[in-house]
Amino acid sequence: MEHASLVAELTSRWPEHRVGPGLSRIAALMDLLGNPERATPVIQVAGTNGKGSTCIMIDALLRSAGLRTGRFASPHLSDARERICIDGQPLSEARFAEAWQEVEPFVRMVDEQQLDGIAMTFFEVITGMAYAAFADTPVDVAVVEVGLGGRWDATSVADPQVAVVTPVGADHTHILGDSLEKIAAEKAGIIKPGATVVLSGQEPAAARVLLAQAVEAGDVVRAEGPDFGVLERRPAVGGQVIRIESAGGPLGDLFLPLHGAHMARNAALAVAAVEAFLGGQPLAPEIIEEGFASVVAPARLELARTSPAIVIDTAHNPQAAQATIDACQEAFAFQPLIGVVAMMADKDTSGVLEIFASAMDQVVVTRAQGTPRALPAEELARAAEDFWPAGKVHQAPAMPDALELATLLADAAGPGTGVLVAGSLIAAGQARDLLVAEQ
């Protein structure tokens, strides 16, 4: 089967933005496959923002320490193969197809049972493919990014050796709950007996829930602030130089090829997670330096083109939007800044647009293609007009048109102008496909 046809078949299942009830289907698949989720230690990462970049950095540090890694990520930017990586590289099309062929008969068996009333979802199937591929390789450790929430996320069929929680904020409230406590309770589902829990700095309401779960599980907790964190940071060409507190004490002059205070915090969190995995042993400075130097995080304030400068980011909720704007202003100092924004209909549109409007002189709104969740450009434009002056909101039917219009606006505005594409991970992937040449 051609790769595109295979991906189309897989994604035609129950979509991942809807959570299928329970873990019964993924657990049944794992039992039929011989429980590959138990074949290798797991570092599981939940949270509202920063999961993907934290997983990328954990993976890089583990490989720098000489371990063979598997990494499961979601969603993908351009190709479903990005979700299953071995030693930092996505599966080849051939290996991806093999992974599906290995699990397909067992997926069909689970489908026939209609557990909790539905067949296996796309996310459950690709999670199963990942755990099977990691066991078959085999890898020394699997770094697993939660898709949505934590308690009923398919990745939680495994019991992690290290449970990491990035900052918890308001997102997916229609699924996870309408308060920080409810959302944190869902994320806390990854905290199970026998794990070491590594927590980034949290709002008090979320921290109380996460710590209570860790206490109930009898787990050791390492928390940002008392146990690790960023001591200093300064911008640098292509990233920043950071000084962090680690298990071995303060470490300084570490170059991180990512922008923003939020990425520095994610880096400190990644170091703490790897040190927890290694039983609390400090990582050698040279391992951290090598690991950070190898980090590649697509669409995280990625400079995709120059003249005019176009930066792509995945920010899609207010918490992430503010971090992105702060980092963009610090790293690039564009004057003026023109936005290209597309969003999903189930997001906090007004909250995100208000933050973008504080820094973007003009905005081109468009619609991400290929998903019914995408907010129509006309609706997004009406919402944007509440935050930008008359004449500063422009519409484009699709991402190619939006990038073309933003480029014309940037050229007209003169030197120093930059373009920031943000608002949706799907839209960021589509922009990246158009702007970034295949490596």
Side-chain angles (χ1 to χ4, degrees):
M1 182 183 296
E2 291 186 2
H3 180 65
S5 299
L6 170 55
V7 173
E9 177 183 326
L10 293 175
T11 55
S12 69
R13 290 174 170 267
W14 182 295
E16 63 187 315
H17 65 274
R18 298 173 61 192
V19 177
L23 294 176
S24 57
R25 291 170 303 282
I26 185 66
L29 178 63
M30 293 295 97
D31 287 344
L32 290 169
L33 291 171
N35 297 110
E37 81 283 9
R38 301 176 190 169
T40 187
V42 171
I43 300 175
Q44 190 178 16
V45 182
T48 302
N49 293 306
K51 298 189 299 292
S53 57
T54 299
C55 285
I56 287 170
M57 286 187 268
I58 290 172
D59 184 294
L61 290 165
L62 290 166
R63 285 186 284 113
S64 179
L67 297 175
R68 190 168 203 190
T69 62
R71 178 168 58 85
F72 179 68
S74 65
H76 59 270
L77 283 168
S78 301
D79 192 306
R81 296 182 298 110
E82 300 166 22
R83 294 172 182 254
I84 308 174
C85 294
I86 305 292
D87 283 336
Q89 296 299 315
L91 296 187
S92 67
E93 290 187 3
R95 183 66 188 95
F96 187 87
E98 289 172 5
W100 165 239
Q101 290 163 5
E102 289 167 6
V103 305
E104 180 181 13
F106 305 102
V107 169
R108 304 298 183 198
M109 292 171 66
V110 178
D111 285 346
E112 291 173 0
Q113 298 179 53
Q114 290 284 303
L115 297 173
D116 291 317
I118 62 172
M120 292 198 74
T121 70
F122 162 66
F123 187 76
E124 289 167 347
V125 170
I126 203 161
T127 299
M129 289 169 60
Y131 280 130
F134 297 157
D136 288 346
T137 298
V139 300
D140 298 316
V141 53
V143 183
V144 177
E145 178 184 353
V146 167
L148 183 62
R151 185 166 61 105
W152 296 126
D153 191 78
T155 61
S156 290
V157 71
D159 292 331
Q161 182 171 318
V162 179
V164 182
V165 185
T166 69
V168 174
D171 201 4
H172 302 291
T173 54
H174 59 298
I175 297 173
L176 303 180
D178 57 3
S179 71
L180 210 54
E181 290 88 349
K182 291 177 182 177
I183 296 170
E186 294 296 325
K187 311 289 186 186
I190 73 167
I191 299 173
K192 301 173 184 177
T196 299
V197 181
V198 184
L199 301 177
S200 65
Q202 304 286 346
E203 293 291 332
R208 284 191 291 269
V209 173
L210 295 168
L211 289 171
Q213 179 66 24
V215 169
E216 183 177 335
D219 292 339
V220 173
V221 176
R222 287 182 52 79
E224 182 179 5
D227 298 309
F228 67 90
V230 179
L231 300 174
E232 295 177 35
R233 52 176 294 272
R234 64 179 187 275
V237 176
Q240 58 190 306
V241 175
I242 64 175
R243 183 168 176 263
I244 64 173
E245 182 71 31
S246 71
L251 291 174
D253 293 329
L254 299 169
F255 177 71
L256 180 69
L258 300 172
H259 301 289
H262 62 304
M263 286 301 182
R265 291 181 61 195
N266 292 347
L269 180 65
V271 171
V274 174
E275 291 179 334
F277 178 74
L278 297 176
Q281 295 299 312
L283 280 173
E286 57 270 22
I287 288 177
I288 299 176
E289 290 173 357
E290 180 184 328
F292 283 170
S294 69
V295 166
V296 177
R300 273 73 171 188
L301 281 179
E302 178 183 15
L303 182 61
R305 182 164 294 182
T306 57
S307 190
I310 303 179
V311 174
I312 305 174
D313 196 80
T314 59
H316 58 272
N317 57 50
Q319 187 180 21
Q322 190 62 63
T324 291
I325 288 298
D326 291 344
C328 186
Q329 291 176 323
E330 176 185 84
F332 300 106
F334 295 135
Q335 193 58 250
L337 177 64
I338 296 169
V340 172
V341 177
M343 296 191 67
M344 298 297 109
D346 55 1
K347 298 299 180 180
D348 181 0
T349 304
S350 294
V352 170
L353 292 178
E354 183 175 12
I355 291 166
F356 285 164
S358 69
M360 294 174 179
D361 179 69
Q362 301 184 69
V363 64
V364 180
V365 299
T366 189
R367 179 174 186 164
Q369 303 301 298
T371 172
R373 294 174 58 214
L375 190 66
E378 297 80 6
E379 287 188 41
L380 190 54
R382 285 195 294 271
E385 286 166 358
D386 290 338
F387 302 103
W388 276 269
K392 298 293 186 178
V393 177
H394 313 274
Q395 284 187 55
M399 185 58 70
D401 312 284
L403 292 172
E404 182 178 0
L405 178 52
T407 298
L408 292 172
L409 292 171
D411 288 341
T417 304
V419 176
L420 173 62
V421 183
S424 158
L425 194 144
I426 293 173
Q430 292 174 358
R432 195 170 189 275
D433 288 343
L434 293 165
L435 295 170
V436 180
E438 193 70 32
Q439 299 300 312

